[in-house]
mmCIF file of all heavy atoms in Angstrom:
data_model
loop_
_atom_site.group_PDB
_atom_site.id
_atom_site.type_symbol
_atom_site.label_atom_id
_atom_site.label_comp_id
_atom_site.label_asym_id
_atom_site.label_seq_id
_atom_site.Cartn_x
_atom_site.Cartn_y
_atom_site.Cartn_z
ATOM 1 N N ARG A 152 -157.445 139.578 -24.112
ATOM 2 C CA ARG A 152 -156.938 139.830 -22.762
ATOM 3 C C ARG A 152 -158.039 139.765 -21.713
ATOM 4 O O ARG A 152 -157.816 139.320 -20.592
ATOM 5 C CB ARG A 152 -156.249 141.188 -22.708
ATOM 6 C CG ARG A 152 -154.893 141.178 -23.356
ATOM 7 C CD ARG A 152 -154.101 142.428 -23.021
ATOM 8 N NE ARG A 152 -152.821 142.363 -23.691
ATOM 9 C CZ ARG A 152 -152.397 143.226 -24.594
ATOM 10 N NH1 ARG A 152 -153.141 144.266 -24.909
ATOM 11 N NH2 ARG A 152 -151.227 143.082 -25.163
ATOM 12 N N GLU A 153 -159.241 140.222 -22.082
ATOM 13 C CA GLU A 153 -160.360 140.196 -21.136
ATOM 14 C C GLU A 153 -160.761 138.765 -20.800
ATOM 15 O O GLU A 153 -161.221 138.493 -19.699
ATOM 16 C CB GLU A 153 -161.549 140.971 -21.707
ATOM 17 C CG GLU A 153 -161.324 142.464 -21.743
ATOM 18 C CD GLU A 153 -162.438 143.220 -22.443
ATOM 19 O OE1 GLU A 153 -163.505 142.623 -22.699
ATOM 20 O OE2 GLU A 153 -162.249 144.420 -22.728
ATOM 21 N N GLY A 154 -160.590 137.851 -21.748
ATOM 22 C CA GLY A 154 -160.800 136.435 -21.481
ATOM 23 C C GLY A 154 -162.229 135.994 -21.274
ATOM 24 O O GLY A 154 -162.465 134.943 -20.698
ATOM 25 N N GLU A 155 -163.207 136.751 -21.725
ATOM 26 C CA GLU A 155 -164.609 136.389 -21.512
ATOM 27 C C GLU A 155 -165.132 135.494 -22.647
ATOM 28 O O GLU A 155 -166.063 135.857 -23.361
ATOM 29 C CB GLU A 155 -165.464 137.654 -21.396
ATOM 30 C CG GLU A 155 -165.149 138.493 -20.177
ATOM 31 C CD GLU A 155 -165.446 137.766 -18.874
ATOM 32 O OE1 GLU A 155 -166.471 137.075 -18.792
ATOM 33 O OE2 GLU A 155 -164.627 137.883 -17.942
ATOM 34 N N PHE A 156 -164.518 134.334 -22.816
ATOM 35 C CA PHE A 156 -164.928 133.390 -23.851
ATOM 36 C C PHE A 156 -164.285 132.046 -23.523
ATOM 37 O O PHE A 156 -163.375 131.966 -22.692
ATOM 38 C CB PHE A 156 -164.488 133.870 -25.247
ATOM 39 C CG PHE A 156 -162.997 134.069 -25.371
ATOM 40 C CD1 PHE A 156 -162.186 133.059 -25.869
ATOM 41 C CD2 PHE A 156 -162.405 135.258 -24.973
ATOM 42 C CE1 PHE A 156 -160.822 133.230 -25.972
ATOM 43 C CE2 PHE A 156 -161.030 135.434 -25.069
ATOM 44 C CZ PHE A 156 -160.236 134.422 -25.573
ATOM 45 N N ASP A 157 -164.771 130.983 -24.174
ATOM 46 C CA ASP A 157 -164.215 129.653 -23.930
ATOM 47 C C ASP A 157 -163.149 129.277 -24.956
ATOM 48 O O ASP A 157 -162.136 128.678 -24.618
ATOM 49 C CB ASP A 157 -165.340 128.608 -23.956
ATOM 50 C CG ASP A 157 -166.354 128.849 -22.850
ATOM 51 O OD1 ASP A 157 -165.927 128.917 -21.676
ATOM 52 O OD2 ASP A 157 -167.544 128.989 -23.148
ATOM 53 N N PHE A 158 -163.421 129.611 -26.226
ATOM 54 C CA PHE A 158 -162.484 129.301 -27.299
ATOM 55 C C PHE A 158 -162.369 130.495 -28.227
ATOM 56 O O PHE A 158 -163.299 131.293 -28.338
ATOM 57 C CB PHE A 158 -162.961 128.095 -28.135
ATOM 58 C CG PHE A 158 -163.010 126.816 -27.366
ATOM 59 C CD1 PHE A 158 -164.215 126.317 -26.906
ATOM 60 C CD2 PHE A 158 -161.851 126.102 -27.097
ATOM 61 C CE1 PHE A 158 -164.279 125.143 -26.194
ATOM 62 C CE2 PHE A 158 -161.901 124.931 -26.377
ATOM 63 C CZ PHE A 158 -163.116 124.443 -25.930
ATOM 64 N N TYR A 159 -161.234 130.598 -28.895
ATOM 65 C CA TYR A 159 -161.053 131.618 -29.923
ATOM 66 C C TYR A 159 -160.919 130.912 -31.264
ATOM 67 O O TYR A 159 -160.068 130.036 -31.439
ATOM 68 C CB TYR A 159 -159.806 132.464 -29.643
ATOM 69 C CG TYR A 159 -159.403 133.326 -30.818
ATOM 70 C CD1 TYR A 159 -160.263 134.323 -31.283
ATOM 71 C CD2 TYR A 159 -158.194 133.138 -31.459
ATOM 72 C CE1 TYR A 159 -159.917 135.100 -32.373
ATOM 73 C CE2 TYR A 159 -157.848 133.913 -32.548
ATOM 74 C CZ TYR A 159 -158.710 134.897 -33.003
ATOM 75 O OH TYR A 159 -158.373 135.666 -34.090
ATOM 76 N N ALA A 160 -161.759 131.282 -32.217
ATOM 77 C CA ALA A 160 -161.675 130.733 -33.569
ATOM 78 C C ALA A 160 -160.949 131.765 -34.424
ATOM 79 O O ALA A 160 -161.456 132.855 -34.675
ATOM 80 C CB ALA A 160 -163.069 130.455 -34.127
ATOM 81 N N GLY A 161 -159.754 131.438 -34.835
ATOM 82 C CA GLY A 161 -158.953 132.342 -35.651
ATOM 83 C C GLY A 161 -158.401 131.610 -36.837
ATOM 84 O O GLY A 161 -158.724 130.442 -37.071
ATOM 85 N N SER A 162 -157.582 132.269 -37.592
ATOM 86 C CA SER A 162 -156.986 131.608 -38.751
ATOM 87 C C SER A 162 -155.611 132.173 -39.028
ATOM 88 O O SER A 162 -155.312 133.315 -38.714
ATOM 89 C CB SER A 162 -157.873 131.771 -39.992
ATOM 90 O OG SER A 162 -157.914 133.131 -40.380
ATOM 91 N N VAL A 163 -154.791 131.326 -39.589
ATOM 92 C CA VAL A 163 -153.478 131.721 -40.082
ATOM 93 C C VAL A 163 -153.485 131.339 -41.543
ATOM 94 O O VAL A 163 -153.678 130.177 -41.886
ATOM 95 C CB VAL A 163 -152.341 130.977 -39.336
ATOM 96 C CG1 VAL A 163 -150.991 131.356 -39.916
ATOM 97 C CG2 VAL A 163 -152.394 131.294 -37.852
ATOM 98 N N GLY A 164 -153.324 132.304 -42.413
ATOM 99 C CA GLY A 164 -153.411 132.043 -43.845
ATOM 100 C C GLY A 164 -152.339 131.094 -44.345
ATOM 101 O O GLY A 164 -151.180 131.201 -43.960
ATOM 102 N N VAL A 165 -152.730 130.158 -45.211
ATOM 103 C CA VAL A 165 -151.762 129.221 -45.759
ATOM 104 C C VAL A 165 -151.055 129.780 -46.982
ATOM 105 O O VAL A 165 -150.175 129.138 -47.530
ATOM 106 C CB VAL A 165 -152.420 127.870 -46.126
ATOM 107 C CG1 VAL A 165 -152.977 127.205 -44.900
ATOM 108 C CG2 VAL A 165 -153.497 128.067 -47.182
ATOM 109 N N SER A 166 -151.426 130.994 -47.408
ATOM 110 C CA SER A 166 -150.750 131.569 -48.557
ATOM 111 C C SER A 166 -149.330 132.004 -48.187
ATOM 112 O O SER A 166 -148.499 132.233 -49.034
ATOM 113 C CB SER A 166 -151.542 132.748 -49.112
ATOM 114 O OG SER A 166 -151.758 133.706 -48.094
ATOM 115 N N ASP A 167 -149.046 132.120 -46.898
ATOM 116 C CA ASP A 167 -147.704 132.437 -46.433
ATOM 117 C C ASP A 167 -147.195 131.238 -45.640
ATOM 118 O O ASP A 167 -147.555 131.053 -44.489
ATOM 119 C CB ASP A 167 -147.734 133.673 -45.537
ATOM 120 C CG ASP A 167 -146.358 134.033 -44.999
ATOM 121 O OD1 ASP A 167 -145.358 133.458 -45.478
ATOM 122 O OD2 ASP A 167 -146.279 134.876 -44.100
ATOM 123 N N PRO A 168 -146.374 130.384 -46.264
ATOM 124 C CA PRO A 168 -145.928 129.167 -45.576
ATOM 125 C C PRO A 168 -144.854 129.455 -44.533
ATOM 126 O O PRO A 168 -143.761 128.912 -44.563
ATOM 127 C CB PRO A 168 -145.387 128.308 -46.728
ATOM 128 C CG PRO A 168 -144.893 129.309 -47.719
ATOM 129 C CD PRO A 168 -145.818 130.493 -47.604
ATOM 130 N N ASN A 169 -145.167 130.329 -43.594
ATOM 131 C CA ASN A 169 -144.217 130.736 -42.567
ATOM 132 C C ASN A 169 -144.566 130.011 -41.267
ATOM 133 O O ASN A 169 -145.294 130.530 -40.433
ATOM 134 C CB ASN A 169 -144.307 132.263 -42.404
ATOM 135 C CG ASN A 169 -143.431 132.779 -41.283
ATOM 136 O OD1 ASN A 169 -142.693 132.029 -40.656
ATOM 137 N ND2 ASN A 169 -143.532 134.058 -41.006
ATOM 138 N N TYR A 170 -144.079 128.786 -41.119
ATOM 139 C CA TYR A 170 -144.423 128.005 -39.920
ATOM 140 C C TYR A 170 -143.935 128.684 -38.658
ATOM 141 O O TYR A 170 -144.570 128.616 -37.619
ATOM 142 C CB TYR A 170 -143.885 126.572 -40.022
ATOM 143 C CG TYR A 170 -142.379 126.487 -39.999
ATOM 144 C CD1 TYR A 170 -141.693 126.424 -38.802
ATOM 145 C CD2 TYR A 170 -141.642 126.498 -41.174
ATOM 146 C CE1 TYR A 170 -140.308 126.378 -38.772
ATOM 147 C CE2 TYR A 170 -140.268 126.444 -41.155
ATOM 148 C CZ TYR A 170 -139.596 126.389 -39.962
ATOM 149 O OH TYR A 170 -138.238 126.344 -39.940
ATOM 150 N N ASP A 171 -142.793 129.390 -38.733
ATOM 151 C CA ASP A 171 -142.272 130.052 -37.546
ATOM 152 C C ASP A 171 -143.218 131.171 -37.108
ATOM 153 O O ASP A 171 -143.450 131.375 -35.918
ATOM 154 C CB ASP A 171 -140.875 130.604 -37.810
ATOM 155 C CG ASP A 171 -140.200 131.079 -36.540
ATOM 156 O OD1 ASP A 171 -140.295 130.389 -35.504
ATOM 157 O OD2 ASP A 171 -139.582 132.168 -36.567
ATOM 158 N N GLY A 172 -143.808 131.854 -38.074
ATOM 159 C CA GLY A 172 -144.778 132.895 -37.746
ATOM 160 C C GLY A 172 -146.017 132.315 -37.089
ATOM 161 O O GLY A 172 -146.560 132.884 -36.137
ATOM 162 N N ALA A 173 -146.473 131.160 -37.595
ATOM 163 C CA ALA A 173 -147.642 130.506 -37.008
ATOM 164 C C ALA A 173 -147.331 130.033 -35.586
ATOM 165 O O ALA A 173 -148.150 130.195 -34.678
ATOM 166 C CB ALA A 173 -148.082 129.332 -37.875
ATOM 167 N N ILE A 174 -146.154 129.466 -35.392
ATOM 168 C CA ILE A 174 -145.730 129.023 -34.055
ATOM 169 C C ILE A 174 -145.672 130.223 -33.112
ATOM 170 O O ILE A 174 -146.132 130.162 -31.971
ATOM 171 C CB ILE A 174 -144.352 128.320 -34.118
ATOM 172 C CG1 ILE A 174 -144.441 127.019 -34.889
ATOM 173 C CG2 ILE A 174 -143.760 128.118 -32.735
ATOM 174 C CD1 ILE A 174 -145.080 125.891 -34.131
ATOM 175 N N SER A 175 -145.095 131.312 -33.604
ATOM 176 C CA SER A 175 -144.992 132.518 -32.790
ATOM 177 C C SER A 175 -146.371 133.012 -32.391
ATOM 178 O O SER A 175 -146.613 133.388 -31.239
ATOM 179 C CB SER A 175 -144.242 133.612 -33.559
ATOM 180 O OG SER A 175 -144.149 134.772 -32.781
ATOM 181 N N TYR A 176 -147.310 132.991 -33.340
ATOM 182 C CA TYR A 176 -148.674 133.426 -33.035
ATOM 183 C C TYR A 176 -149.302 132.547 -31.947
ATOM 184 O O TYR A 176 -149.890 133.047 -30.996
ATOM 185 C CB TYR A 176 -149.535 133.390 -34.305
ATOM 186 C CG TYR A 176 -151.004 133.564 -34.024
ATOM 187 C CD1 TYR A 176 -151.532 134.816 -33.740
ATOM 188 C CD2 TYR A 176 -151.855 132.469 -33.990
ATOM 189 C CE1 TYR A 176 -152.878 134.982 -33.456
ATOM 190 C CE2 TYR A 176 -153.206 132.630 -33.709
ATOM 191 C CZ TYR A 176 -153.706 133.886 -33.442
ATOM 192 O OH TYR A 176 -155.026 134.030 -33.149
ATOM 193 N N LEU A 177 -149.165 131.239 -32.082
ATOM 194 C CA LEU A 177 -149.811 130.316 -31.143
ATOM 195 C C LEU A 177 -149.248 130.403 -29.732
ATOM 196 O O LEU A 177 -149.988 130.297 -28.750
ATOM 197 C CB LEU A 177 -149.680 128.876 -31.641
ATOM 198 C CG LEU A 177 -150.472 128.524 -32.887
ATOM 199 C CD1 LEU A 177 -150.085 127.142 -33.380
ATOM 200 C CD2 LEU A 177 -151.955 128.593 -32.610
ATOM 201 N N PHE A 178 -147.927 130.591 -29.613
ATOM 202 C CA PHE A 178 -147.288 130.493 -28.301
ATOM 203 C C PHE A 178 -146.754 131.814 -27.756
ATOM 204 O O PHE A 178 -146.532 131.922 -26.551
ATOM 205 C CB PHE A 178 -146.141 129.477 -28.356
ATOM 206 C CG PHE A 178 -146.604 128.074 -28.636
ATOM 207 C CD1 PHE A 178 -146.589 127.561 -29.923
ATOM 208 C CD2 PHE A 178 -147.077 127.264 -27.617
ATOM 209 C CE1 PHE A 178 -147.016 126.273 -30.190
ATOM 210 C CE2 PHE A 178 -147.513 125.973 -27.875
ATOM 211 C CZ PHE A 178 -147.487 125.477 -29.160
ATOM 212 N N GLU A 179 -146.530 132.822 -28.627
ATOM 213 C CA GLU A 179 -145.879 134.046 -28.172
ATOM 214 C C GLU A 179 -146.751 135.297 -28.298
ATOM 215 O O GLU A 179 -146.336 136.371 -27.896
ATOM 216 C CB GLU A 179 -144.573 134.256 -28.943
ATOM 217 C CG GLU A 179 -143.581 133.136 -28.705
ATOM 218 C CD GLU A 179 -142.367 133.190 -29.608
ATOM 219 O OE1 GLU A 179 -142.484 133.674 -30.762
ATOM 220 O OE2 GLU A 179 -141.303 132.743 -29.172
ATOM 221 N N PHE A 180 -147.939 135.162 -28.865
ATOM 222 C CA PHE A 180 -148.863 136.283 -28.965
ATOM 223 C C PHE A 180 -149.200 136.746 -27.555
ATOM 224 O O PHE A 180 -149.073 135.978 -26.598
ATOM 225 C CB PHE A 180 -150.120 135.803 -29.705
ATOM 226 C CG PHE A 180 -151.068 136.895 -30.109
ATOM 227 C CD1 PHE A 180 -150.786 137.708 -31.203
ATOM 228 C CD2 PHE A 180 -152.248 137.102 -29.419
ATOM 229 C CE1 PHE A 180 -151.667 138.699 -31.593
ATOM 230 C CE2 PHE A 180 -153.138 138.093 -29.810
ATOM 231 C CZ PHE A 180 -152.840 138.898 -30.895
ATOM 232 N N ASP A 181 -149.637 137.993 -27.383
ATOM 233 C CA ASP A 181 -149.956 138.488 -26.055
ATOM 234 C C ASP A 181 -151.431 138.829 -25.954
ATOM 235 O O ASP A 181 -151.853 139.842 -26.512
ATOM 236 C CB ASP A 181 -149.120 139.728 -25.751
ATOM 237 C CG ASP A 181 -149.360 140.251 -24.345
ATOM 238 O OD1 ASP A 181 -149.760 139.447 -23.469
ATOM 239 O OD2 ASP A 181 -149.171 141.456 -24.125
ATOM 240 N N PRO A 182 -152.256 138.026 -25.277
ATOM 241 C CA PRO A 182 -151.932 136.765 -24.610
ATOM 242 C C PRO A 182 -151.877 135.629 -25.624
ATOM 243 O O PRO A 182 -152.531 135.683 -26.663
ATOM 244 C CB PRO A 182 -153.118 136.566 -23.653
ATOM 245 C CG PRO A 182 -154.256 137.225 -24.361
ATOM 246 C CD PRO A 182 -153.667 138.399 -25.110
ATOM 247 N N PRO A 183 -151.107 134.598 -25.328
ATOM 248 C CA PRO A 183 -150.960 133.499 -26.294
ATOM 249 C C PRO A 183 -152.198 132.603 -26.337
ATOM 250 O O PRO A 183 -152.772 132.293 -25.291
ATOM 251 C CB PRO A 183 -149.757 132.722 -25.761
ATOM 252 C CG PRO A 183 -149.760 132.987 -24.291
ATOM 253 C CD PRO A 183 -150.295 134.391 -24.137
ATOM 254 N N PRO A 184 -152.628 132.199 -27.542
ATOM 255 C CA PRO A 184 -153.721 131.211 -27.615
ATOM 256 C C PRO A 184 -153.391 129.935 -26.851
ATOM 257 O O PRO A 184 -154.271 129.304 -26.294
ATOM 258 C CB PRO A 184 -153.847 130.940 -29.119
ATOM 259 C CG PRO A 184 -153.359 132.190 -29.761
ATOM 260 C CD PRO A 184 -152.238 132.674 -28.859
ATOM 261 N N ILE A 185 -152.102 129.570 -26.822
ATOM 262 C CA ILE A 185 -151.664 128.398 -26.052
ATOM 263 C C ILE A 185 -150.643 128.876 -25.024
ATOM 264 O O ILE A 185 -149.489 129.142 -25.347
ATOM 265 C CB ILE A 185 -151.038 127.324 -26.963
ATOM 266 C CG1 ILE A 185 -152.062 126.870 -28.006
ATOM 267 C CG2 ILE A 185 -150.545 126.141 -26.130
ATOM 268 C CD1 ILE A 185 -151.525 125.896 -29.012
ATOM 269 N N PRO A 186 -151.057 129.019 -23.765
ATOM 270 C CA PRO A 186 -150.114 129.480 -22.739
ATOM 271 C C PRO A 186 -149.039 128.443 -22.450
ATOM 272 O O PRO A 186 -149.282 127.244 -22.508
ATOM 273 C CB PRO A 186 -151.002 129.715 -21.519
ATOM 274 C CG PRO A 186 -152.256 128.964 -21.775
ATOM 275 C CD PRO A 186 -152.396 128.784 -23.257
ATOM 276 N N SER A 187 -147.842 128.925 -22.162
ATOM 277 C CA SER A 187 -146.693 128.044 -21.944
ATOM 278 C C SER A 187 -146.792 127.268 -20.633
ATOM 279 O O SER A 187 -146.481 126.093 -20.572
ATOM 280 C CB SER A 187 -145.400 128.859 -21.976
ATOM 281 O OG SER A 187 -144.335 128.072 -22.402
ATOM 282 N N GLY A 188 -147.233 127.948 -19.580
ATOM 283 C CA GLY A 188 -147.377 127.277 -18.288
ATOM 284 C C GLY A 188 -146.110 126.566 -17.863
ATOM 285 O O GLY A 188 -145.000 127.036 -18.096
ATOM 286 N N ASN A 189 -146.275 125.396 -17.253
ATOM 287 C CA ASN A 189 -145.122 124.612 -16.791
ATOM 288 C C ASN A 189 -144.443 123.838 -17.906
ATOM 289 O O ASN A 189 -143.426 123.191 -17.678
ATOM 290 C CB ASN A 189 -145.566 123.633 -15.703
ATOM 291 C CG ASN A 189 -146.043 124.345 -14.453
ATOM 292 O OD1 ASN A 189 -145.592 125.445 -14.165
ATOM 293 N ND2 ASN A 189 -146.961 123.738 -13.735
ATOM 294 N N GLU A 190 -145.018 123.883 -19.102
ATOM 295 C CA GLU A 190 -144.480 123.097 -20.213
ATOM 296 C C GLU A 190 -143.314 123.785 -20.911
ATOM 297 O O GLU A 190 -142.657 123.183 -21.750
ATOM 298 C CB GLU A 190 -145.584 122.793 -21.233
ATOM 299 C CG GLU A 190 -146.788 122.098 -20.641
ATOM 300 C CD GLU A 190 -146.429 120.797 -19.944
ATOM 301 O OE1 GLU A 190 -145.595 120.027 -20.457
ATOM 302 O OE2 GLU A 190 -146.986 120.549 -18.866
ATOM 303 N N ASN A 191 -143.086 125.054 -20.619
ATOM 304 C CA ASN A 191 -141.973 125.806 -21.207
ATOM 305 C C ASN A 191 -141.967 125.795 -22.734
ATOM 306 O O ASN A 191 -140.921 125.687 -23.358
ATOM 307 C CB ASN A 191 -140.628 125.283 -20.682
ATOM 308 C CG ASN A 191 -140.487 125.504 -19.198
ATOM 309 O OD1 ASN A 191 -140.868 126.555 -18.680
ATOM 310 N ND2 ASN A 191 -139.969 124.511 -18.494
ATOM 311 N N TYR A 192 -143.141 125.913 -23.339
ATOM 312 C CA TYR A 192 -143.214 125.904 -24.801
ATOM 313 C C TYR A 192 -142.371 127.023 -25.401
ATOM 314 O O TYR A 192 -141.660 126.816 -26.380
ATOM 315 C CB TYR A 192 -144.661 126.053 -25.273
ATOM 316 C CG TYR A 192 -145.572 124.916 -24.871
ATOM 317 C CD1 TYR A 192 -146.819 125.170 -24.317
ATOM 318 C CD2 TYR A 192 -145.201 123.590 -25.057
ATOM 319 C CE1 TYR A 192 -147.676 124.134 -23.962
ATOM 320 C CE2 TYR A 192 -146.049 122.553 -24.696
ATOM 321 C CZ TYR A 192 -147.278 122.836 -24.146
ATOM 322 O OH TYR A 192 -148.113 121.810 -23.792
ATOM 323 N N VAL A 193 -142.437 128.223 -24.815
ATOM 324 C CA VAL A 193 -141.703 129.365 -25.354
ATOM 325 C C VAL A 193 -140.198 129.115 -25.303
ATOM 326 O O VAL A 193 -139.471 129.414 -26.254
ATOM 327 C CB VAL A 193 -142.092 130.658 -24.603
ATOM 328 C CG1 VAL A 193 -141.228 131.822 -25.034
ATOM 329 C CG2 VAL A 193 -143.564 130.984 -24.841
ATOM 330 N N VAL A 194 -139.728 128.542 -24.207
ATOM 331 C CA VAL A 194 -138.299 128.226 -24.076
ATOM 332 C C VAL A 194 -137.904 127.180 -25.113
ATOM 333 O O VAL A 194 -136.849 127.289 -25.760
ATOM 334 C CB VAL A 194 -137.986 127.721 -22.642
ATOM 335 C CG1 VAL A 194 -136.556 127.210 -22.539
ATOM 336 C CG2 VAL A 194 -138.249 128.830 -21.631
ATOM 337 N N ARG A 195 -138.732 126.173 -25.298
ATOM 338 C CA ARG A 195 -138.440 125.115 -26.275
ATOM 339 C C ARG A 195 -138.427 125.663 -27.702
ATOM 340 O O ARG A 195 -137.610 125.249 -28.529
ATOM 341 C CB ARG A 195 -139.443 123.979 -26.127
ATOM 342 C CG ARG A 195 -139.268 123.236 -24.803
ATOM 343 C CD ARG A 195 -140.376 122.263 -24.516
ATOM 344 N NE ARG A 195 -140.519 121.279 -25.565
ATOM 345 C CZ ARG A 195 -141.571 120.470 -25.681
ATOM 346 N NH1 ARG A 195 -142.559 120.543 -24.819
ATOM 347 N NH2 ARG A 195 -141.638 119.599 -26.657
ATOM 348 N N ILE A 196 -139.318 126.597 -27.990
ATOM 349 C CA ILE A 196 -139.332 127.209 -29.320
ATOM 350 C C ILE A 196 -138.060 128.026 -29.536
ATOM 351 O O ILE A 196 -137.466 127.995 -30.618
ATOM 352 C CB ILE A 196 -140.603 128.075 -29.495
ATOM 353 C CG1 ILE A 196 -141.825 127.163 -29.582
ATOM 354 C CG2 ILE A 196 -140.500 128.974 -30.710
ATOM 355 C CD1 ILE A 196 -143.145 127.881 -29.432
ATOM 356 N N ALA A 197 -137.629 128.741 -28.519
ATOM 357 C CA ALA A 197 -136.379 129.511 -28.618
ATOM 358 C C ALA A 197 -135.201 128.580 -28.887
ATOM 359 O O ALA A 197 -134.311 128.901 -29.688
ATOM 360 C CB ALA A 197 -136.156 130.315 -27.342
ATOM 361 N N GLU A 198 -135.196 127.417 -28.233
ATOM 362 C CA GLU A 198 -134.133 126.435 -28.471
ATOM 363 C C GLU A 198 -134.190 125.902 -29.899
ATOM 364 O O GLU A 198 -133.159 125.705 -30.547
ATOM 365 C CB GLU A 198 -134.232 125.273 -27.469
ATOM 366 C CG GLU A 198 -133.810 125.628 -26.067
ATOM 367 C CD GLU A 198 -132.349 126.072 -25.992
ATOM 368 O OE1 GLU A 198 -131.476 125.401 -26.597
ATOM 369 O OE2 GLU A 198 -132.096 127.109 -25.354
#
């Protein structure tokens, strides 16, 4: 949230093949690693 960095290096374990969980992490985490902005990623994922 403080945002004092350029990139975040994280990981999502492949031992749990939960693609929806990975998508949720990337786009719906607070704050999201990939912000939705004008692209409406969160809305598209809900659809």
Side-chain angles (χ1 to χ4, degrees):
R152 285 193 181 119
E153 289 174 12
E155 295 296 320
F156 58 95
D157 297 305
F158 295 102
Y159 167 63
S162 66
V163 177
V165 297
S166 56
D167 179 11
N169 176 4
Y170 67 87
D171 190 42
I174 294 284
S175 180
Y176 169 77
L177 291 171
F178 295 96
E179 298 171 329
F180 190 76
D181 183 25
I185 301 176
S187 208
N189 295 331
E190 304 303 319
N191 296 319
Y192 296 133
V193 173
V194 172
R195 292 170 58 193
I196 290 167
E198 287 299 314

